[in-house]
Amino acid sequence: MDDTLLLTARGEIDRACEPDLNRLLDSLPITLSDLVLDMQDVRFMDVTGLHFLCDLHQRTARRHTRLHTRGWQAQPRYLLHAAVHLNMQGQDLNTVVRAALERSQGPS
């Protein structure tokens, strides 16, 4: 398992793109060693992006794929920082958000 996949997000991540995000998650290859989510071209993200990040984290963890993020812009990064303080029962959102913030590269 030596494959790396680069996902480049563009535009806004909001409720309108949720069906596309679900299709993307369903189409991810099973045999990846690393997955890189590049957020450089995303200027806005709402809670849909947090759910996507959580789902992506869960899928990659189950497949033993390392998940990396980079290029977080101001508004999505602000949302991540705000989400660190949420307490959602049954969700690993806090863990996922902390990991995204700690592993992210690029503008802050």
Side-chain angles (χ1 to χ4, degrees):
M1 194 161 61
D2 295 316
D3 295 329
T4 299
L5 178 65
L6 172 64
L7 294 178
T8 303
R10 289 189 170 84
E12 298 182 352
I13 299 179
D14 58 16
R15 185 117 171 117
C17 67
E18 191 172 23
D20 294 329
L21 295 173
N22 290 333
R23 279 192 293 278
L24 172 69
L25 288 170
D26 290 340
S27 71
L28 289 176
I30 294 173
T31 57
L32 290 173
S33 59
D34 294 273
L35 190 146
V36 179
L37 177 62
D38 187 340
M39 297 291 288
Q40 183 172 335
D41 295 325
V42 175
R43 304 283 182 235
F44 175 82
M45 181 174 87
D46 67 11
V47 70
T48 304
L50 294 176
H51 287 285
F52 171 71
L53 189 60
C54 202
D55 290 345
L56 185 60
H57 170 77
Q58 290 171 351
R59 287 178 192 237
T60 56
R62 279 195 308 264
R63 297 174 181 176
H64 306 287
T65 300
R66 290 179 298 271
L67 175 60
H68 311 275
T69 64
R70 67 182 187 197
W72 291 95
Q73 298 300 313
Q75 189 278 333
R77 181 178 287 276
Y78 177 81
L79 182 62
L80 290 177
H81 281 285
V84 166
H85 304 289
L86 295 177
N87 183 14
M88 297 176 64
Q89 293 181 358
Q91 299 288 329
D92 59 348
L93 180 63
N94 191 282
T95 302
V96 172
V97 169
R98 284 186 189 280
L101 287 169
E102 290 170 4
R103 296 182 197 153
S104 67
Q105 306 167 352
S108 43

